[in-house]
Amino acid sequence: HPGVPYALVGGRPASTTNATLLLQAACRALPRPRPAACAAESPQPGSAAALSPEPGSAAAPAAQHGSEAAPATQPRAPARCAFASVGAGWAGIYSAWRVAVDAKARDPTTVCVFEGSPRFGGRTFTVRGDAALFGLNIDIGAYRFAFEQHLPADLLRGPLRLPTACYIPSCEREPLDGNLTLHKLMDPRLNSSAGYGTALDVMVAELRAAGAHLQLHKELDAVHAHPRPTGAVLRWKDGGSTVADSVLLNLPRHALNRLSRDSLLFTDGRPLARALYNCSRETSQANYSAEASVKVYLVYEDAWWRTRLGLVQGEVHAPSDPPMYIRYHDGPVRCGEGAAPACAGALLVQYAHSL
């Protein structure tokens, strides 16, 4: 969706008000006899404090996968590319990787990937590498897939050879996603989620190793026709231009609509061009929607739903204010070593397209 904001909310250990309220919601949903942890006194549910971080807690530390700080001086884009992929989400990175690395259809040094933001990934957004998150890899963007979805499944299990596990530990089908069994990427060393961004990190690394040009902070202003029969001229917002023999615009609808009105997308009146521009309306009305998605995790040093209640999957809808939609299997849990390992975890408490 356009302008998708994601929130990563840091919490304190399980003794805090946040954890106690969530624990109480969990206990109400469990059949009797309930675990001993449910006998503890706790505040009444339904309070707005349920999602309020405790004083001093970390709110959205957000170490981003694939992110780079803006350089003091923006390097110029190449004058020419044989193949240019504009927009470095899944589609943009995969298309460049397929052309340069997998199919070897172009000399990798003539393949270019341009991204207007400070990071690769688009809607795939893995937060990792922050001590405040206890070493967890948290997907606050896209994060799961089915084997029936051949892209990305065939890529992840084939050429990239990335380990996977069922998103729901019992491998139950997910009725909200076509009644399919969903999967996630795993890190066998941690026995925890690797983060969906891992696939993109691997492809970006392979593109760079092959000599492809990848550039962040490069926002497209317009696409013009080239005097030659094929090809296009990409005009950048920070000045300069790039001539490309082939171009793929892997951009969401709102980004396309921000391009200069003299771009080919708006001036080419041929029926095929208009059909291509309008095709996404037929497949997903969400491309034209202004609604925002909200995804919230609470991060705990003690994954109490696992350590105190023994819950590895299941969900609870709590009519609190703000409302909570808890999924015990959604969010990574990482346990230490020893006879009684401590388990840190991230718990999904809301995922909605309207609140």
Side-chain angles (χ1 to χ4, degrees):
H1 298 306
V4 180
Y6 287 104
L8 175 70
V9 182
R12 287 291 188 183
S15 60
T16 64
T17 301
N18 286 344
T20 305
L21 286 168
L22 292 174
L23 176 64
Q24 187 180 51
C27 288
R28 289 200 308 273
L30 289 176
R32 296 181 183 276
R34 293 170 176 166
C38 290
E41 291 186 6
S42 55
Q44 292 299 310
S47 165
L51 289 181
S52 301
E54 292 293 312
S57 67
Q64 302 177 9
H65 84 84
S67 63
E68 296 178 5
T73 302
Q74 180 64 250
R76 295 184 64 83
R80 191 171 199 91
C81 303
F83 178 88
S85 179
V86 182
W90 254 100
I93 291 175
Y94 170 72
S95 60
W97 177 88
R98 179 86 168 95
V99 166
V101 177
D102 190 44
K104 296 180 172 59
R106 295 286 188 277
D107 177 351
T109 63
T110 67
V111 172
C112 305
V113 179
F114 301 103
E115 167 60 40
S117 78
R119 67 176 183 88
F120 299 113
R123 197 172 70 90
T124 298
F125 184 6
T126 301
V127 177
R128 58 162 65 99
D130 195 304
L133 302 180
F134 312 111
L136 299 168
N137 301 316
I138 304 177
D139 284 314
I140 56 174
Y143 62 125
R144 55 191 187 176
F145 63 96
F147 290 164
E148 292 85 352
Q149 297 164 338
H150 295 288
L151 274 178
D154 293 355
L155 171 67
L156 300 174
R157 303 168 70 200
L160 299 187
R161 299 184 297 278
L162 295 174
T164 66
C166 288
Y167 162 69
I168 301 176
S170 65
C171 297
E172 292 178 16
R173 295 178 180 271
E174 174 56 83
L176 297 179
D177 284 86
N179 205 34
L180 299 172
T181 298
L182 301 178
H183 296 79
K184 59 185 178 181
L185 296 181
M186 291 292 291
D187 185 339
R189 299 168 304 164
L190 306 177
N191 192 30
S192 184
S193 172
Y196 202 38
T198 301
L200 299 177
D201 294 342
V202 170
M203 287 189 284
V204 165
E206 292 185 359
L207 279 166
R208 282 177 163 157
H213 177 86
L214 290 86
Q215 190 168 356
L216 296 171
H217 308 281
K218 204 67 178 176
E219 191 170 354
L220 185 65
D221 180 54
V223 183
H224 295 143
H226 191 268
R228 293 171 52 190
T230 59
V233 179
L234 304 174
R235 188 177 74 202
W236 307 108
K237 282 199 173 180
D238 61 359
S241 62
T242 298
V243 175
D245 297 333
S246 301
V247 178
L248 275 180
L249 298 182
N250 306 287
L251 302 173
R253 178 66 44 172
H254 66 96
L256 286 174
N257 285 334
R258 285 203 305 267
L259 295 177
S260 173
R261 303 313 289 184
D262 63 353
S263 291
L264 275 173
L265 280 74
F266 311 116
T267 61
D268 191 333
R270 291 175 296 175
L272 178 59
R274 305 322 311 150
L276 285 171
Y277 177 72
N278 293 317
C279 68
S280 63
R281 185 184 292 275
E282 300 175 10
T283 58
S284 176
Q285 186 63 28
N287 281 316
Y288 291 82
S289 171
E291 74 180 5
S293 296
V294 178
K295 189 179 185 185
V296 182
Y297 287 98
L298 296 185
V299 180
Y300 294 99
E301 187 175 18
D302 175 17
W304 50 267
W305 57 99
R306 180 80 61 87
T307 61
R308 299 174 64 182
L309 302 182
L311 292 171
V312 296
Q313 68 181 62
E315 56 187 55
V316 173
H317 292 261
S320 55
D321 183 16
M324 289 186 289
Y325 174 32
I326 303 166
R327 283 192 156 192
Y328 300 112
H329 51 274
D330 194 318
V333 173
R334 180 180 176 182
C335 298
E337 299 178 355
C343 295
L347 179 65
L348 180 78
V349 295
Q350 185 54 261
Y351 195 1
H353 302 302
S354 178
L355 277 178

